[in-house]
Amino acid sequence: MTDHDATPDLTGPDLSESYALSINGRDREVADAWLGESLLYVLRERLGLPGSKNACEQGECGSCSVMMDGLLVNSCCVLAADAVDADVRTVEGLAPDGTLTDVQQAFLDAGAVQCGFCIPGLIVSVHDLLDRAPQPDELEVREAISGNLCRCTGYGRILQAVQDVAAARTAADAQEDRP
Amino acid sequence: MTTTTCGPSSTAATGSAPAVTGSAPAVTGSAPVAPPGTRERTQRRVRDGLGTSADRPDGTPKVTGAFAFSSDLHDQRMLWGRTLRSPHAHARIVSIDTSAAAAMPGVVAVLLAEDVPGKATFGLEHTDQPVLARDVVRYEGEAVAIVAAEHPETALRAIRAIEVTYEPLPLLTDPAEAATTDPIHPDGNVFRTLPLRHGDVDATGDVVVEGTYEVGMQDQAFLGPESALALPSDDGGVELFISTQWLHVDRDQVAACLALPADQVHLTLGGVGGAFGAREDVSLQVHVCLLALATGRPVKMLYSRAESFLGHVHRHPARMRYRHHARRDGTLVKVEAEILLDGGAYASSSTAVLANAVCFAAGPYRVEAARIDGQVVRTNNPPCGAMRGFGVVQVCFAHEAQMDRLAAALDMDPVELRLHNALKPGDAIITGQRLTGTAPVREVIEAAMAHPLPPDPREDEPAIALPGGAGLTARREDVRRGTGIAVSIKNLMYSEGFDDYSTARVRLETSPDGEPFATVHSACAEVGQGFVTLAQQITRTALGIERVVLHAADTGVGSAGSTSASRQTWMSGGAVQLACDTVHHGLLERARGVLGVPDEPLVLEPGRVVDPATGAEVAIAQLLRAGPLEATEEHHHAPTSTLDADGQGDAHVSFAFAAHRATVDVDPDLGLVRVLQIATGQDVGRALNPRAVIGQIEGGIAQGVGLAVMEEILVEDGLVRNPSFTDYLIPTALDMPSVAATLIEQPEPGAPFGAKGVGEPPTISSTPAVVAAIRDATGKALTRVPVRAQDIAFGEAGAIPPTAGSTSAG
Ligand code: FES
Ligand code: FES
């Protein structure tokens, strides 16, 4: 769905594909779909999972971040039909209903949320970072989330939230290690 | 419904919180604030009331993904709308052939200008922009046709299948030529000319400095793209869920263009993914409603990012010539300026933006005389309108550069020079208006300077911390550090006689479990700033209850005015307070009856009303057994006047001040900059939610830093060259400096709770502070923002004052 395609196509998209995706551990059927649909579009418009956001749909902002087979991806840049054999995790699948992950709670406590449009993508990104690097220094955090644009916060409270989670996890680990 | 003015004149009646002078450290140190009238009477404080960093009511859904932004709305039967836009900046439409598009399977409607049933044009102040272009297009991206289709890809293919024949017309892209070129619109090419003459305009100073400055076109670049869902309603009207800044002004424009009575157009705020001025004008509102009515089905519209860059107004590019006159001791004698703003193809809010640029052309300084000539014109460039800072951003960049030039000419510390001329309460600005409220200009400057500078660079710092970052091209030994200061003044609320009132309805009742709760109904657009939190805090404190529910913002209650001009805390916060006061009154009335004390002054405490004389008390829940209490109130600010022929008059309600000190590292050969730190002092009146205030300050600074070093819509021959986040850069987490903020809390007389709006000032003086710091590091003149690599590497040298604060100031 690019804006700069020159030749008009007078036929309209072929809406006849059917396939199954694995989203947040559940099998989901997709029917009567166009093969050109992005994973982001299918999540949002076909599967009722609009938590992943669509700020650019060009791979530039990270608002659509999801985990695919354990890798952080921009779901706007993945064709849904290419995700057929993958394990897809979205922001909706991070915590059981009615609960929050430590990262989500820390975002609230630190005041990291304003309009919130960037936030689901950032939450997914920060989970990924802290799984890979439990004690990142400030530059590492900045680099890790530099693919997630936020226009409201200036990132200050977001960086605070990430540091708070890292510190709390480290403290919890130290507790566990104590004899 | 009662109407109440809460301006300076009513201060005595409502009482004001005691003055707090000096500065409070960021986040900590703010005492809870009670609304006027309840402060003395409320002895025990309710949880999460005013002055606390209460949580956002929409916080949890925003971190789980459950919060519904307007782009998340979905209806089983909905169609997808899409807009065909002009590829030309100025052209005559010779013909439009929609037959191929209309014949495509899955296409349900294709509409053109002749399908608009009502008013053919819309606009905020002047309705000069066609809903759909009929004969002529005046900018790249102007809407020409709209389609509705079963699938977004079908809609996209359909607009590509519409054949439009254009005949290009001569381009007017240089704003300096607009006034003398043939009109490109029946309303002419000049939106407004505004002269200002203050004091002895022939006065001269011992020292005179001149400069010419330019500001590029900045975009608001909110993350949530324009989007809406429109549903035809049974009465022939339309229901619109929309992300906007001002529901009622949208409603009125939609109704006029659809030829519907206003009460058949019902708008509800869809979740808003940021705004910053770009949602003040109509974009897709009329289009999506037209399609819903034409098809009889729900229609969703969602702009792509490229379309968003073309589909909303931008910050006005500016060209400014300045001359400052001062005495040897640094006292400003006169400021002269010529300000030219490029308004682009349609008027939007251009006339008000110009008024701000002219009124604040001299900055937060006492100046004996001023001669300012401002003009905003029409061109074939993209339309410009509101963006955070609204006309003041442009002149602040220029007047602060001038202050540094003056400091250099006088061999005076730039901070000293600013302190020497800083406005004080009782002084007049160049419109002749006296500052009757607080004006802690000295305090904000001193607070900004008092923060420790960032640590010196370390040899072992990772390369990514150098200017240029991940490009890894700068070498530590080439990098030079600089600091700079800038100060700003911003008006709060609308100006020039405009009564931008706000309405709120508050209802107090008991839930089935017997607990009292309040419902607040306001049309105030929550765009991320946190009004929803504030409305709850005000209501909790005013009514002594914890449970406060927010009714969806919609046009089912009176207008709240726009979420802009740093006005909603004052205006809609004030309206909620007034409605709460009326309900509070009703509670006390009932309590007097129940306690049998008709004349006793009673006290509202959390959960109950108490008679302090006897200690007798009655629970709020019990008082509500007689039924709910409800009040709807309008809040009007103190009236302002228009500007006279000399640009003189009391045109503004209130003013807020901020100072920023920037520290940068620069590689002068490569022209690379890293902004390390912004230290700021900001005049906030009272911090009603300190954590939210810090969020506004940090976020505003990010946009100011963006304008200083990276953000510009590049327009060539009227065509936008970079409509994407690939090419229009906004600060990432790696670009954003650390922020050290001090809130200056001096309650503003006449402001509800003494609070000033906080959204705009951080964006205004952060830009010139960063540029001053780059000048300090490089010795370059840098008279244009954003500063580009070539301006640093190859730009001409400029006069550099002694480094900010190198003498005595902090
Ligand atoms: S929406 Fe996918 S990166 Fe922006
Ligand atoms: S909170 Fe608005 S974009 Fe990040």
Side-chain angles (χ1 to χ4, degrees), chain A residues 107 112-124 153 158, chain B residues 62-63:
Chain A
F107 268 58
V113 178
Q114 291 189 29
C115 87
F117 207 83
C118 65
I119 296 295
L122 269 157
I123 300 263
V124 172
T153 67
I158 293 168
Chain B
K62 282 179 174 176
V63 297

Side-chain angles (χ1 to χ4, degrees), chain B residues 41 151 168 245 353 364 407 420 433 435 583 709 755:
Chain B
R41 286 173 283 147
H151 189 279
Q245 289 174 236
V353 171
H420 181 72
Q433 180 168 2
L435 304 179
V583 169
V709 295

Side-chain angles (χ1 to χ4, degrees), chain B residues 707-741:
Chain B
L707 177 60
V709 295
M710 65 181 77
E711 289 186 35
E712 182 172 11
I713 297 213
L714 299 169
V715 183
E716 258 173 53
D717 298 329
L719 305 181
V720 174
R721 289 313 197 190
N722 55 344
S724 74
F725 283 147
T726 314
D727 297 316
Y728 183 91
L729 301 181
I730 64 174
T732 68
L734 275 172
D735 301 310
M736 184 61 193
S738 67
V739 172

